[in-house]
Amino acid sequence: MTLYDGTPNLGLRNVLDRLAPEEKGNISVHPLGTVCNRGGLIETHGAAVLPLGMRCRRPEQQLCINYKGEVVLCCNDYLGLVKAGSLWTDSVQTLWRSQLFTHYRTLLRSGERGHLKLCKDCDLTE
């Protein structure tokens, strides 16, 4: 889960409190550190040519949960444009293995960002 100020707010604490014990063990909460164009949602002054033809590992390494308990593709999707579902209705395992995430992971492994909503405009290189 991404924090912007380093302190879990009441909404985030409520989401964490509702998770099953086995799900809590697989979650880390960390402050956001990398500056990028947030999936093309903000303007940066970089010289990246988009879409980037490189792999992105974010959806393979992290599951992002917004303040509403929705699982979104990436920490850069702060508008919730690509959602796998909600922790209110599905388990973390179900959301992690969803058809949507599987599709994105497959294309991102091969650098196919140009075919994916949100990713096609992203300049994140790590």
Side-chain angles (χ1 to χ4, degrees):
M1 293 184 189
T2 302
L3 300 176
Y4 295 95
D5 64 4
T7 306
N9 63 24
L10 181 59
L12 179 56
R13 285 195 305 269
N14 285 337
V15 168
L16 292 171
D17 289 344
R18 292 176 186 260
L19 295 174
E22 62 274 8
E23 292 175 331
K24 285 182 184 180
N26 294 316
I27 292 179
S28 64
V29 180
H30 57 86
L32 184 66
T34 303
V35 177
C36 69
N37 72 0
R38 309 296 290 172
L41 299 174
I42 63 171
E43 184 178 338
T44 60
H45 300 287
V49 175
L50 301 174
L52 295 176
M54 59 190 310
R55 180 180 180 140
C56 178
R57 290 184 175 92
R58 294 268 170 144
E60 290 183 273
Q61 297 175 337
Q62 59 181 246
L63 185 78
C64 297
I65 304 164
N66 70 16
Y67 71 98
K68 297 176 186 176
E70 299 167 331
V71 173
V72 296
L73 176 68
C74 173
C75 62
N76 289 311
D77 188 7
Y78 66 85
L79 294 179
L81 299 176
V82 181
K83 293 178 212 154
S86 171
L87 290 179
W88 303 116
T89 57
D90 293 299
S91 72
V92 168
Q93 270 189 335
T94 298
L95 295 167
W96 180 256
R97 295 177 179 154
S98 71
Q99 185 176 9
L100 175 89
F101 270 53
T102 301
H103 173 71
Y104 269 79
R105 289 180 189 123
T106 299
L107 291 177
L108 289 171
R109 276 186 204 116
S110 60
E112 298 288 331
R113 292 184 187 199
H115 301 288
L116 299 169
K117 181 179 180 179
L118 189 71
C119 303
K120 66 182 175 66
D121 296 319
C122 183
D123 67 357
L124 186 65
T125 59
E126 32 172 83

